[in-house]
Amino acid sequence: MADTTDINKASADEFQRVSQVSEQGAQFIVQKREELGGFSSWEQIQQVTGISTMMVESLKDAGFYVTHASTSAGRTQPR
């Protein structure tokens, strides 16, 4: 996929466009992101209630990436 989306800026609707992410899963991701002030790794996202390894892989495959707050250039591109 040519388009990429920062997981720390994506809306619940954008998450739901990924086949493995339900409406509830998208809400959990957004809620946890707000609690943490953003995700800094895929491991943090995988710890969100209801988010499976399959969902994380689907997000990566769909072009989502994680921006690392501790580095100015750091972003983890999807596989």
Side-chain angles (χ1 to χ4, degrees), residues 47-66:
Q47 293 173 5
V48 174
T49 300
I51 302 303
S52 68
T53 301
M54 184 180 284
M55 284 184 197
V56 170
E57 291 303 316
S58 291
L59 289 166
K60 290 177 183 179
D61 291 344
F64 285 84
Y65 64 91
V66 177

Side-chain angles (χ1 to χ4, degrees), residues 11-13 15-16 21-31 51:
S11 68
D13 288 340
F15 290 124
Q16 288 179 63
V21 181
S22 66
E23 180 179 352
Q24 185 177 34
Q27 291 172 356
F28 285 150
I29 293 170
V30 171
Q31 180 181 13
I51 302 303

Side-chain angles (χ1 to χ4, degrees), residues 7-8 29 32-33 36 38-53 55-57 59-60 64-68 75-77 79:
I7 203 154
N8 286 313
I29 293 170
K32 189 63 168 183
R33 179 181 69 199
L36 295 172
F39 295 110
S40 62
S41 69
W42 285 108
E43 290 76 22
Q44 280 186 319
I45 297 160
Q46 198 163 349
Q47 293 173 5
V48 174
T49 300
I51 302 303
S52 68
T53 301
M55 284 184 197
V56 170
E57 291 303 316
L59 289 166
K60 290 177 183 179
F64 285 84
Y65 64 91
V66 177
T67 301
H68 297 279
R75 74 180 213 179
T76 304
Q77 288 289 341
R79 292 187 233 191

